[in-house]
Amino acid sequence: MPKPTRTQVVIIGAGPSGLLMGQLLYKAGIDTLILERQTGDYVLSRIRAGVLEQVSIDLLDEVGVGKRMHQEGLVHGGFDLLFKGERHRIDMNKLTGGKNVMVYGQTELTLDLMNARKALDLPTVYEAENVQVHEFDTAKPRVTYQQNGIAHSIECDFIAGCDGFHGVCRASVPKDKIREYEKAYPFGWLGVLSDTPPVHHELIYANSTRGFALCSQRSKTRSRYYLQVPLTDKVEQWSDEAFWEELRKRLDPEARAQLVTGPSIEKSIAPLRSFVTEPMRFGRMFLAGDAAHIVPPTGAKGLNLAATDVKYLSTAIIEYYQENSEAGIDHYSERCLRRIWRAERFSWWFTSLMHHFPENGEIGQKFQDAELDYLIHSESGSRTIAENYVGLPMDFGD
Ligand code: RFL
Ligand code: PHB
C-alpha cells in the first residue's frame, strides 16, 4: 500500500464544476487535487452547453479566465420564440433592465479553465480509475484511486463531488441519507454541430406540431441545432440530409430560406430529465453541478447552476479556513437548493411549453399556442421568461 498523501480538498471530476472549483480555491490559497476518470481530450470532446448567464461570466472573470470568452463569445440581448409558423422576439435586454447572456461553448470554457490550471502547475490526475470516497462523515475523509495500476490514497479535509450525473460521490451516499426527485421526459434532443453560419444572429426556440427545434450557435461560422426526437431513435438512423430536412420543416419560411446546411461535425442524442438530490452535503462531502441536479436543456440552466453551486461551496470552504466558521458549510445545501428549484421549475415549464406531447392531443397544442400568444403580447409574461432566462441573482435579497 503506497504511503497516503494529503491535500485540503479533493475535487472529483474535471468538468466545468470541478475545474472552476479548483480555480476559486487556488485564489484563496487552498490546496486541491482533481481526480478525473477520463482523458482531458475526452472531456473536451463532449459538446454540451452554449449559453452563459451574467453570474457565470462574472465567475470566470473572477478567476481570471475570461479573456478569450470576452473576445470570442457572442453577447445576445434577446431570442426568438417561433410558434404557429411565426417568430417573435423576446427582448431580454430591455425587459430585464440591461441584462444579456453570452454564447460561448462549454468546450471552450472548459479548455480555458484546464489551461489556467495547467499554467499554475496544480495537480490533476486524468484517467484516475476506480475513484472511491471513504469516511466522509468523519473529520478525516479519504479518497482512493488507481492510476496505471498503482493504488493511491489521499487524506483531505473536504471532498467536492463535481463528478456529474453518473459519478461516484452521490452513489456512495447511504440510501437512507438522500432523497432524489426525478422526472424523465418521453423524448430526447438530437444535436448537430456544423461549420455553417447560424441561421439567425440570435437563438430560435421553435414550437412546431412536428416537435421542438432549437437553432443555436458557437460562433459566426459554427452552428448548433437540436431536434426533439423520440427516445427510441438512434443517432445512426439520422443522416445529415434527414436532419436538415426535418429542421427545415420545423422552421418559419424566412429561416427555412436562410438555413445553410453542411456536413455535421458532431451528432448525438441526449435524453431530457429533471432531477434534484436533497441534501447536497454529507458530512465533509459536498455535491455540486450535475452530480446533484439535472435540468432539461431548454432553459440553458445546467452549466450556470453548476457554476453557482461551486461559488457557494468555495465561499463556504474559504470561510471555514479563513474565519474558522462552519456557517457557510452548514447552509450550503439550503442556499443552493433554493436557486436550483427555481431553475428546475423554469426549465420544466419552458420544456413543457415548447415541446410536442402527442399524449396531450390537439387540445394540448392549442393550450401551448394560447399560452405563447399570451406571453409574447403581455409585457409581464415576456418579462417572466426574460428574467428567468438571463438568470436569477445569486442572492435573492428576499
Ligand atoms: P460534467 O460536465 O458531467 O463533469 C463531470 C466530470 O466528472 C467526471 N467523472 C468522474 N471523475 C472521476 N471519477 C469518477 N467516478 C467520475 N465520474 C464522473 C466526468 O468524466 C466528467 O468529466 O458535470 P459538471 O462539471 O457539473 O458540469 C455540468 C454541465 O456539463 C451541464 O450542466 C451542462 O452541459 C448542461 N447543459 C447546458 N447548460 C447550460 O447552462 N446552458 C446550456 O446551453 C446547456 N445546454 C446542456 C446543454 C447539456 C446537454 N446535454 C448533452 C446533457 C445542452 C445539452 C445537449
Ligand atoms: C446550445 O447552444 O447547446 C444550447 C443553447 C441553448 C439551450 C440549450 C443548448 O437552451
Short mmCIF file of all heavy atoms in Angstrom, two decimals, residues 75-122:
data_model
loop_
_atom_site.label_atom_id
_atom_site.label_comp_id
_atom_site.label_asym_id
_atom_site.label_seq_id
_atom_site.Cartn_x
_atom_site.Cartn_y
_atom_site.Cartn_z
N VAL A 75 -22.42 38.19 -27.41
CA VAL A 75 -23.38 38.72 -26.43
C VAL A 75 -24.76 38.79 -27.09
O VAL A 75 -24.90 39.35 -28.18
CB VAL A 75 -22.93 40.13 -25.97
CG1 VAL A 75 -23.98 40.75 -25.05
CG2 VAL A 75 -21.58 40.05 -25.26
N HIS A 76 -25.74 38.17 -26.45
CA HIS A 76 -27.11 38.18 -27.01
C HIS A 76 -28.05 38.91 -26.05
O HIS A 76 -28.12 38.59 -24.87
CB HIS A 76 -27.61 36.75 -27.20
CG HIS A 76 -27.01 36.06 -28.39
ND1 HIS A 76 -27.55 34.93 -28.95
CD2 HIS A 76 -25.94 36.37 -29.14
CE1 HIS A 76 -26.82 34.57 -29.99
NE2 HIS A 76 -25.84 35.42 -30.11
N GLY A 77 -28.81 39.84 -26.60
CA GLY A 77 -29.77 40.59 -25.80
C GLY A 77 -31.20 40.11 -25.98
O GLY A 77 -32.14 40.70 -25.43
N GLY A 78 -31.38 39.05 -26.77
CA GLY A 78 -32.74 38.54 -26.98
C GLY A 78 -32.70 37.19 -27.67
O GLY A 78 -31.63 36.69 -28.03
N PHE A 79 -33.89 36.58 -27.79
CA PHE A 79 -34.02 35.34 -28.58
C PHE A 79 -35.42 35.30 -29.16
O PHE A 79 -36.30 36.05 -28.72
CB PHE A 79 -33.71 34.09 -27.73
CG PHE A 79 -34.61 33.91 -26.55
CD1 PHE A 79 -35.84 33.27 -26.67
CD2 PHE A 79 -34.23 34.39 -25.30
CE1 PHE A 79 -36.68 33.10 -25.57
CE2 PHE A 79 -35.06 34.22 -24.20
CZ PHE A 79 -36.28 33.59 -24.33
N ASP A 80 -35.59 34.43 -30.15
CA ASP A 80 -36.89 34.33 -30.80
C ASP A 80 -37.67 33.11 -30.31
O ASP A 80 -37.09 32.05 -30.09
CB ASP A 80 -36.73 34.19 -32.32
CG ASP A 80 -36.45 35.53 -32.98
OD1 ASP A 80 -36.38 36.56 -32.28
OD2 ASP A 80 -36.29 35.54 -34.22
N LEU A 81 -38.97 33.30 -30.14
CA LEU A 81 -39.88 32.17 -29.92
C LEU A 81 -40.64 31.99 -31.22
O LEU A 81 -41.22 32.96 -31.75
CB LEU A 81 -40.87 32.50 -28.80
CG LEU A 81 -40.31 32.55 -27.38
CD1 LEU A 81 -41.41 32.97 -26.39
CD2 LEU A 81 -39.73 31.20 -26.98
N LEU A 82 -40.65 30.79 -31.75
CA LEU A 82 -41.36 30.52 -33.00
C LEU A 82 -42.52 29.58 -32.70
O LEU A 82 -42.33 28.51 -32.10
CB LEU A 82 -40.37 29.87 -33.99
CG LEU A 82 -40.89 29.09 -35.20
CD1 LEU A 82 -41.82 29.91 -36.07
CD2 LEU A 82 -39.69 28.62 -36.04
N PHE A 83 -43.73 30.00 -33.05
CA PHE A 83 -44.89 29.11 -32.92
C PHE A 83 -45.92 29.51 -33.96
O PHE A 83 -45.93 30.64 -34.45
CB PHE A 83 -45.47 29.12 -31.49
CG PHE A 83 -46.05 30.45 -31.06
CD1 PHE A 83 -47.43 30.66 -31.09
CD2 PHE A 83 -45.25 31.48 -30.62
CE1 PHE A 83 -47.98 31.87 -30.68
CE2 PHE A 83 -45.78 32.70 -30.22
CZ PHE A 83 -47.15 32.90 -30.25
N LYS A 84 -46.75 28.57 -34.33
CA LYS A 84 -47.72 28.73 -35.40
C LYS A 84 -47.06 29.35 -36.64
O LYS A 84 -47.63 30.23 -37.30
CB LYS A 84 -48.90 29.59 -34.92
CG LYS A 84 -49.82 28.83 -33.95
CD LYS A 84 -50.89 29.69 -33.38
CE LYS A 84 -52.09 29.84 -34.29
NZ LYS A 84 -53.13 30.69 -33.67
N GLY A 85 -45.82 28.96 -36.89
CA GLY A 85 -45.11 29.38 -38.12
C GLY A 85 -44.58 30.80 -38.10
O GLY A 85 -44.10 31.28 -39.12
N GLU A 86 -44.69 31.49 -36.95
CA GLU A 86 -44.19 32.88 -36.91
C GLU A 86 -43.23 33.09 -35.75
O GLU A 86 -43.41 32.52 -34.68
CB GLU A 86 -45.35 33.86 -36.75
CG GLU A 86 -46.03 34.16 -38.05
CD GLU A 86 -47.20 35.12 -37.88
OE1 GLU A 86 -47.15 35.96 -36.95
OE2 GLU A 86 -48.16 34.99 -38.65
N ARG A 87 -42.24 33.97 -35.98
CA ARG A 87 -41.25 34.24 -34.94
C ARG A 87 -41.54 35.54 -34.21
O ARG A 87 -41.98 36.52 -34.81
CB ARG A 87 -39.88 34.38 -35.59
CG ARG A 87 -39.11 33.08 -35.54
CD ARG A 87 -37.68 33.32 -35.88
NE ARG A 87 -37.45 33.35 -37.30
CZ ARG A 87 -36.42 34.00 -37.85
NH1 ARG A 87 -35.58 34.68 -37.09
NH2 ARG A 87 -36.25 33.96 -39.15
N HIS A 88 -41.28 35.54 -32.89
CA HIS A 88 -41.50 36.72 -32.06
C HIS A 88 -40.28 36.88 -31.16
O HIS A 88 -39.86 35.92 -30.52
CB HIS A 88 -42.75 36.53 -31.19
CG HIS A 88 -43.94 36.12 -32.00
ND1 HIS A 88 -44.85 37.01 -32.49
CD2 HIS A 88 -44.33 34.89 -32.43
CE1 HIS A 88 -45.77 36.35 -33.18
NE2 HIS A 88 -45.48 35.06 -33.16
N ARG A 89 -39.74 38.10 -31.09
CA ARG A 89 -38.51 38.28 -30.32
C ARG A 89 -38.82 38.61 -28.85
O ARG A 89 -39.68 39.43 -28.56
CB ARG A 89 -37.68 39.42 -30.92
CG ARG A 89 -36.34 39.60 -30.24
CD ARG A 89 -35.42 40.47 -31.08
NE ARG A 89 -34.08 40.51 -30.51
CZ ARG A 89 -33.64 41.45 -29.68
NH1 ARG A 89 -34.44 42.44 -29.32
NH2 ARG A 89 -32.42 41.39 -29.19
N ILE A 90 -38.10 37.95 -27.95
CA ILE A 90 -38.12 38.33 -26.53
C ILE A 90 -36.91 39.21 -26.32
O ILE A 90 -35.76 38.73 -26.42
CB ILE A 90 -38.07 37.07 -25.61
CG1 ILE A 90 -39.28 36.16 -25.82
CG2 ILE A 90 -37.95 37.47 -24.13
CD1 ILE A 90 -40.61 36.71 -25.32
N ASP A 91 -37.15 40.47 -26.05
CA ASP A 91 -36.06 41.43 -25.89
C ASP A 91 -35.58 41.39 -24.44
O ASP A 91 -35.97 42.21 -23.61
CB ASP A 91 -36.57 42.83 -26.26
CG ASP A 91 -35.45 43.85 -26.34
OD1 ASP A 91 -34.37 43.61 -25.74
OD2 ASP A 91 -35.64 44.88 -27.00
N MET A 92 -34.73 40.41 -24.15
CA MET A 92 -34.28 40.19 -22.76
C MET A 92 -33.66 41.44 -22.19
O MET A 92 -33.88 41.80 -21.05
CB MET A 92 -33.18 39.13 -22.74
CG MET A 92 -33.63 37.76 -22.96
SD MET A 92 -32.27 36.60 -22.79
CE MET A 92 -31.12 37.02 -24.04
N ASN A 93 -32.83 42.08 -23.00
CA ASN A 93 -32.08 43.23 -22.52
C ASN A 93 -33.04 44.32 -22.03
O ASN A 93 -32.89 44.83 -20.92
CB ASN A 93 -31.18 43.73 -23.65
CG ASN A 93 -30.32 44.88 -23.20
OD1 ASN A 93 -30.81 46.00 -23.09
ND2 ASN A 93 -29.06 44.61 -22.91
N LYS A 94 -34.02 44.62 -22.86
CA LYS A 94 -34.97 45.68 -22.48
C LYS A 94 -35.84 45.25 -21.29
O LYS A 94 -36.07 46.02 -20.36
CB LYS A 94 -35.85 46.01 -23.70
CG LYS A 94 -36.58 47.31 -23.59
CD LYS A 94 -37.12 47.76 -24.93
CE LYS A 94 -38.58 48.12 -24.78
NZ LYS A 94 -39.39 47.69 -25.92
N LEU A 95 -36.28 44.00 -21.33
CA LEU A 95 -37.21 43.53 -20.30
C LEU A 95 -36.57 43.34 -18.92
O LEU A 95 -37.26 43.25 -17.91
CB LEU A 95 -37.84 42.20 -20.74
CG LEU A 95 -38.84 42.31 -21.91
CD1 LEU A 95 -39.01 40.97 -22.61
CD2 LEU A 95 -40.20 42.80 -21.42
N THR A 96 -35.23 43.23 -18.89
CA THR A 96 -34.57 42.97 -17.60
C THR A 96 -33.70 44.15 -17.16
O THR A 96 -32.86 44.00 -16.27
CB THR A 96 -33.67 41.72 -17.67
OG1 THR A 96 -32.65 41.96 -18.65
CG2 THR A 96 -34.43 40.47 -18.02
N GLY A 97 -33.88 45.28 -17.80
CA GLY A 97 -33.09 46.45 -17.41
C GLY A 97 -31.62 46.31 -17.78
O GLY A 97 -30.74 46.68 -17.01
N GLY A 98 -31.35 45.72 -18.95
CA GLY A 98 -29.99 45.74 -19.48
C GLY A 98 -29.20 44.45 -19.34
O GLY A 98 -27.98 44.45 -19.57
N LYS A 99 -29.86 43.35 -19.00
CA LYS A 99 -29.09 42.09 -18.85
C LYS A 99 -29.03 41.32 -20.17
O LYS A 99 -29.98 41.35 -20.97
CB LYS A 99 -29.72 41.21 -17.78
CG LYS A 99 -29.55 41.80 -16.40
CD LYS A 99 -29.93 40.81 -15.34
CE LYS A 99 -29.93 41.47 -13.98
NZ LYS A 99 -30.96 40.97 -13.11
N ASN A 100 -27.92 40.62 -20.37
CA ASN A 100 -27.70 39.83 -21.58
C ASN A 100 -27.23 38.44 -21.19
O ASN A 100 -26.94 38.19 -20.02
CB ASN A 100 -26.59 40.47 -22.43
CG ASN A 100 -26.94 41.87 -22.86
OD1 ASN A 100 -28.03 42.11 -23.39
ND2 ASN A 100 -26.04 42.80 -22.63
N VAL A 101 -27.08 37.57 -22.18
CA VAL A 101 -26.38 36.29 -21.96
C VAL A 101 -25.21 36.25 -22.96
O VAL A 101 -25.17 37.04 -23.90
CB VAL A 101 -27.29 35.05 -22.16
CG1 VAL A 101 -28.38 35.00 -21.11
CG2 VAL A 101 -27.87 35.00 -23.57
N MET A 102 -24.31 35.30 -22.72
CA MET A 102 -23.14 35.15 -23.60
C MET A 102 -23.18 33.76 -24.23
O MET A 102 -23.32 32.77 -23.51
CB MET A 102 -21.88 35.30 -22.74
CG MET A 102 -20.60 34.98 -23.44
SD MET A 102 -19.90 36.43 -24.23
CE MET A 102 -19.08 37.20 -22.85
N VAL A 103 -23.07 33.71 -25.55
CA VAL A 103 -23.00 32.42 -26.22
C VAL A 103 -21.52 32.05 -26.35
O VAL A 103 -20.76 32.71 -27.08
CB VAL A 103 -23.71 32.49 -27.59
CG1 VAL A 103 -23.52 31.19 -28.36
CG2 VAL A 103 -25.20 32.75 -27.38
N TYR A 104 -21.11 31.06 -25.58
CA TYR A 104 -19.70 30.62 -25.55
C TYR A 104 -19.73 29.15 -25.16
O TYR A 104 -20.26 28.79 -24.11
CB TYR A 104 -18.92 31.45 -24.52
CG TYR A 104 -17.41 31.25 -24.54
CD1 TYR A 104 -16.67 31.56 -25.67
CD2 TYR A 104 -16.73 30.77 -23.43
CE1 TYR A 104 -15.29 31.39 -25.69
CE2 TYR A 104 -15.36 30.61 -23.43
CZ TYR A 104 -14.64 30.92 -24.57
OH TYR A 104 -13.26 30.76 -24.59
N GLY A 105 -19.19 28.29 -25.99
CA GLY A 105 -19.34 26.84 -25.80
C GLY A 105 -18.70 26.33 -24.51
O GLY A 105 -17.65 26.82 -24.09
N GLN A 106 -19.34 25.33 -23.93
CA GLN A 106 -18.81 24.70 -22.72
C GLN A 106 -17.40 24.14 -22.97
O GLN A 106 -16.55 24.17 -22.09
CB GLN A 106 -19.76 23.57 -22.29
CG GLN A 106 -19.28 22.79 -21.08
CD GLN A 106 -20.38 21.92 -20.48
OE1 GLN A 106 -21.56 22.25 -20.56
NE2 GLN A 106 -20.00 20.80 -19.90
N THR A 107 -17.18 23.64 -24.18
CA THR A 107 -15.87 23.09 -24.54
C THR A 107 -14.79 24.16 -24.42
O THR A 107 -13.69 23.91 -23.92
CB THR A 107 -15.90 22.61 -26.00
OG1 THR A 107 -17.16 22.06 -26.25
CG2 THR A 107 -14.85 21.61 -26.30
N GLU A 108 -15.11 25.36 -24.90
CA GLU A 108 -14.11 26.46 -24.87
C GLU A 108 -13.84 26.87 -23.43
O GLU A 108 -12.71 27.08 -23.03
CB GLU A 108 -14.63 27.67 -25.67
CG GLU A 108 -15.04 27.36 -27.10
CD GLU A 108 -13.95 26.64 -27.87
OE1 GLU A 108 -12.77 27.00 -27.71
OE2 GLU A 108 -14.27 25.69 -28.61
N LEU A 109 -14.92 27.00 -22.67
CA LEU A 109 -14.79 27.40 -21.27
C LEU A 109 -13.99 26.36 -20.49
O LEU A 109 -13.12 26.69 -19.67
CB LEU A 109 -16.21 27.53 -20.75
CG LEU A 109 -16.59 27.83 -19.35
CD1 LEU A 109 -17.99 28.40 -19.38
CD2 LEU A 109 -16.58 26.61 -18.48
N THR A 110 -14.24 25.08 -20.75
CA THR A 110 -13.51 24.01 -20.06
C THR A 110 -12.03 24.08 -20.45
O THR A 110 -11.15 23.93 -19.60
CB THR A 110 -14.12 22.63 -20.42
OG1 THR A 110 -15.52 22.69 -20.18
CG2 THR A 110 -13.53 21.51 -19.60
N LEU A 111 -11.77 24.32 -21.73
CA LEU A 111 -10.37 24.42 -22.19
C LEU A 111 -9.67 25.59 -21.50
O LEU A 111 -8.52 25.46 -21.05
CB LEU A 111 -10.36 24.61 -23.72
CG LEU A 111 -8.98 24.77 -24.36
CD1 LEU A 111 -8.14 23.49 -24.16
CD2 LEU A 111 -9.10 25.06 -25.86
N ASP A 112 -10.35 26.72 -21.37
CA ASP A 112 -9.74 27.89 -20.71
C ASP A 112 -9.40 27.57 -19.25
O ASP A 112 -8.33 27.93 -18.75
CB ASP A 112 -10.69 29.10 -20.75
CG ASP A 112 -10.95 29.59 -22.18
OD1 ASP A 112 -10.17 29.21 -23.08
OD2 ASP A 112 -11.93 30.32 -22.40
N LEU A 113 -10.33 26.88 -18.57
CA LEU A 113 -10.09 26.51 -17.16
C LEU A 113 -8.96 25.49 -17.04
O LEU A 113 -8.12 25.56 -16.15
CB LEU A 113 -11.37 25.96 -16.54
CG LEU A 113 -12.47 26.97 -16.22
CD1 LEU A 113 -13.81 26.28 -15.99
CD2 LEU A 113 -12.10 27.78 -14.96
N MET A 114 -8.96 24.54 -17.97
CA MET A 114 -7.92 23.50 -17.99
C MET A 114 -6.54 24.13 -18.18
O MET A 114 -5.58 23.80 -17.49
CB MET A 114 -8.19 22.60 -19.20
CG MET A 114 -8.36 21.17 -18.93
SD MET A 114 -8.64 20.41 -20.55
CE MET A 114 -9.70 19.12 -20.09
N ASN A 115 -6.45 25.05 -19.14
CA ASN A 115 -5.17 25.71 -19.43
C ASN A 115 -4.70 26.53 -18.24
O ASN A 115 -3.51 26.57 -17.92
CB ASN A 115 -5.28 26.59 -20.67
CG ASN A 115 -5.31 25.74 -21.94
OD1 ASN A 115 -4.89 24.58 -21.91
ND2 ASN A 115 -5.81 26.29 -23.03
N ALA A 116 -5.65 27.19 -17.56
CA ALA A 116 -5.28 28.01 -16.40
C ALA A 116 -4.70 27.12 -15.30
O ALA A 116 -3.71 27.45 -14.66
CB ALA A 116 -6.50 28.77 -15.89
N ARG A 117 -5.33 25.96 -15.09
CA ARG A 117 -4.84 25.04 -14.04
C ARG A 117 -3.46 24.50 -14.40
O ARG A 117 -2.58 24.39 -13.56
CB ARG A 117 -5.86 23.90 -13.84
CG ARG A 117 -5.53 23.04 -12.64
CD ARG A 117 -6.66 22.14 -12.21
NE ARG A 117 -6.22 21.31 -11.09
CZ ARG A 117 -6.33 21.63 -9.81
NH1 ARG A 117 -6.93 22.74 -9.47
NH2 ARG A 117 -5.87 20.82 -8.87
N LYS A 118 -3.30 24.17 -15.68
CA LYS A 118 -2.02 23.64 -16.15
C LYS A 118 -0.92 24.69 -15.97
O LYS A 118 0.17 24.40 -15.50
CB LYS A 118 -2.15 23.26 -17.64
CG LYS A 118 -1.30 22.06 -18.01
CD LYS A 118 -1.29 21.80 -19.50
CE LYS A 118 -2.49 21.05 -20.03
NZ LYS A 118 -2.57 21.04 -21.49
N ALA A 119 -1.22 25.94 -16.33
CA ALA A 119 -0.22 27.02 -16.25
C ALA A 119 0.23 27.22 -14.80
O ALA A 119 1.37 27.62 -14.54
CB ALA A 119 -0.80 28.31 -16.82
N LEU A 120 -0.65 26.95 -13.85
CA LEU A 120 -0.31 27.11 -12.43
C LEU A 120 0.34 25.85 -11.86
O LEU A 120 0.71 25.80 -10.69
CB LEU A 120 -1.57 27.44 -11.61
CG LEU A 120 -2.22 28.79 -11.91
CD1 LEU A 120 -3.65 28.83 -11.36
CD2 LEU A 120 -1.39 29.92 -11.31
N ASP A 121 0.41 24.82 -12.70
CA ASP A 121 1.00 23.55 -12.30
C ASP A 121 0.27 22.93 -11.10
O ASP A 121 0.89 22.36 -10.20
CB ASP A 121 2.50 23.77 -11.97
CG ASP A 121 3.30 22.51 -12.24
OD1 ASP A 121 2.77 21.63 -12.95
OD2 ASP A 121 4.42 22.40 -11.71
N LEU A 122 -1.04 23.06 -11.08
CA LEU A 122 -1.84 22.49 -9.98
C LEU A 122 -2.15 21.03 -10.31
O LEU A 122 -2.37 20.68 -11.48
CB LEU A 122 -3.14 23.29 -9.81
CG LEU A 122 -2.93 24.76 -9.44
CD1 LEU A 122 -4.26 25.51 -9.44
CD2 LEU A 122 -2.26 24.88 -8.08
#
